Amino acid sequence: VESPSIEDMDMLKKKEDFDFITHPSWRTIFILMDVGSDQAVGVTAPDGSNPFKDIRVRKAMSLAIDRDAIKNRLLGGEATVAKQFGAEYMDGAETGLPALQYDPEQAKKLLAEAGYKDGFSMELYMPADRYPNIVRLGQVVAQYWSRIGLKVELKPQPWSVFSKTRKARKLGVWLYGWGHPQGFTQMISYNYPSRDKELNLGSSNYSNYQNDEVDKWMKMWSVETNQAKSHEYGRNAMKAIMADMPGIPLYYRHSAWAFRKGNKVRGRPDEYTQAKGISKEK
């Protein structure tokens, strides 16, 4: 059985005839927001502005979230806290980025400095049937943001609706997940560079984000055939993105499989289940 719930796994721990395994995946769960428009859909600030255009607001929203608590309490420890948009355990990824801190008092100060002492309101969208625990994650994130004065209305949608709404650029802030087997830089190549059809960059840049340094490194990466240089360009782009924080990484998902004892199951980082990965125990 693919992707048993946390409750299922807790139950399986007490069963003699069944077991489960987990495996760190290449999928990052994160928050995206419209950082480039003068107004963000579903976001209401007292002055009519788009708060997400201010880096202090974006950093405040990140500081308000306790990722360790999400990992341990919501996910039963079955996740890796994120420091960036691609897992550090992927080949060639940046491993020196600092942990993303939890500091709600500093978050409040940053909001006040940005002119949002009394907060603002937003609709938080998510694909309800796409990723395990995503709606509950949205509830947790909304609670954290409420503690720094932000008002959040959850908007879970079926993937068929969410994907069309996202493509139409009718989302101001949303929870999402992304994974790619071709390397950690692929994790950002669609989301954060400016749109470049020839180089296939930025096709999913629904955040309306633009950063000249990110564009420079990503264009170099997209045509580089030397793997070491390619990884270097990707790391540089990732560091520039994390310094600017146009989105908020939360965790790297751990995939899970439940099975009857007597079987042996090998987990995969791409989350696929293949017949050749299942065998009888010797």
Side-chain angles (χ1 to χ4, degrees), residues 181-192:
Q182 292 182 0
F184 75 99
T185 312
Q186 286 283 2
M187 309 282 275
I188 55 175
S189 66
Y190 297 108
N191 284 340
Y192 289 122

Side-chain angles (χ1 to χ4, degrees), residues 95-138:
T95 59
L97 286 169
L100 297 172
Q101 299 298 312
Y102 170 56
D103 190 340
E105 293 306 313
Q106 178 63 18
K108 292 177 184 177
K109 291 179 182 178
L110 286 174
L111 281 180
E113 289 175 10
Y116 301 100
K117 180 180 179 181
D118 297 322
F120 53 88
S121 302
M122 72 184 90
E123 297 173 343
L124 175 60
Y125 287 81
M126 67 214 69
D129 52 358
R130 186 76 168 181
Y131 312 113
N133 301 301
I134 197 72
V135 175
R136 284 191 288 182
L137 174 63

Side-chain angles (χ1 to χ4, degrees), residues 260-266 275 277-282:
R260 190 181 299 275
K261 284 188 176 178
N263 293 316
K264 183 177 180 180
V265 178
R266 294 192 298 274
I278 305 167
S279 60
K280 289 288 186 181
E281 284 189 342
K282 294 181 180 179

Side-chain angles (χ1 to χ4, degrees), residues 74-259:
L74 177 64
L75 304 174
E78 297 297 345
T80 300
V81 170
K83 298 179 182 178
Q84 55 186 302
F85 290 95
E88 295 95 89
Y89 46 76
M90 295 184 78
D91 185 37
E94 174 63 46
T95 59
L97 286 169
L100 297 172
Q101 299 298 312
Y102 170 56
D103 190 340
E105 293 306 313
Q106 178 63 18
K108 292 177 184 177
K109 291 179 182 178
L110 286 174
L111 281 180
E113 289 175 10
Y116 301 100
K117 180 180 179 181
D118 297 322
F120 53 88
S121 302
M122 72 184 90
E123 297 173 343
L124 175 60
Y125 287 81
M126 67 214 69
D129 52 358
R130 186 76 168 181
Y131 312 113
N133 301 301
I134 197 72
V135 175
R136 284 191 288 182
L137 174 63
Q139 294 169 343
V140 171
V141 169
Q143 289 177 2
Y144 280 129
W145 284 347
S146 70
R147 295 174 187 174
I148 63 170
L150 306 182
K151 302 176 182 64
V152 184
E153 180 181 357
L154 295 181
K155 293 285 188 176
Q157 295 180 329
W159 172 251
S160 59
V161 176
F162 174 89
S163 59
K164 291 178 182 177
T165 307
R166 183 178 65 111
K167 191 172 183 179
R169 299 182 182 274
K170 293 182 179 180
L171 301 177
V173 55
W174 62 103
L175 268 170
Y176 194 55
W178 188 263
H180 206 292
Q182 292 182 0
F184 75 99
T185 312
Q186 286 283 2
M187 309 282 275
I188 55 175
S189 66
Y190 297 108
N191 284 340
Y192 289 122
S194 298
R195 185 72 180 269
D196 189 321
K197 290 185 178 180
E198 182 178 349
L199 297 177
N200 195 27
L201 296 172
S203 59
S204 297
N205 187 348
Y206 301 117
S207 299
N208 299 307
Y209 177 66
Q210 198 280 323
N211 181 314
D212 289 341
E213 184 179 2
V214 173
D215 288 346
K216 177 188 73 171
W217 292 119
M218 291 304 300
K219 286 179 180 179
M220 293 170 65
W221 166 82
S222 68
V223 297
E224 182 57 64
T225 58
N226 179 282
Q227 188 177 63
K229 290 183 179 180
S230 174
H231 286 334
E232 178 187 355
Y233 301 152
R235 289 192 295 269
N236 289 341
M238 187 73 77
K239 286 186 282 189
I241 290 168
M242 288 310 301
D244 212 14
M245 196 161 280
I248 303 173
L250 297 176
Y251 60 85
Y252 313 128
R253 182 172 175 249
H254 289 187
S255 301
W257 292 263
F259 50 89

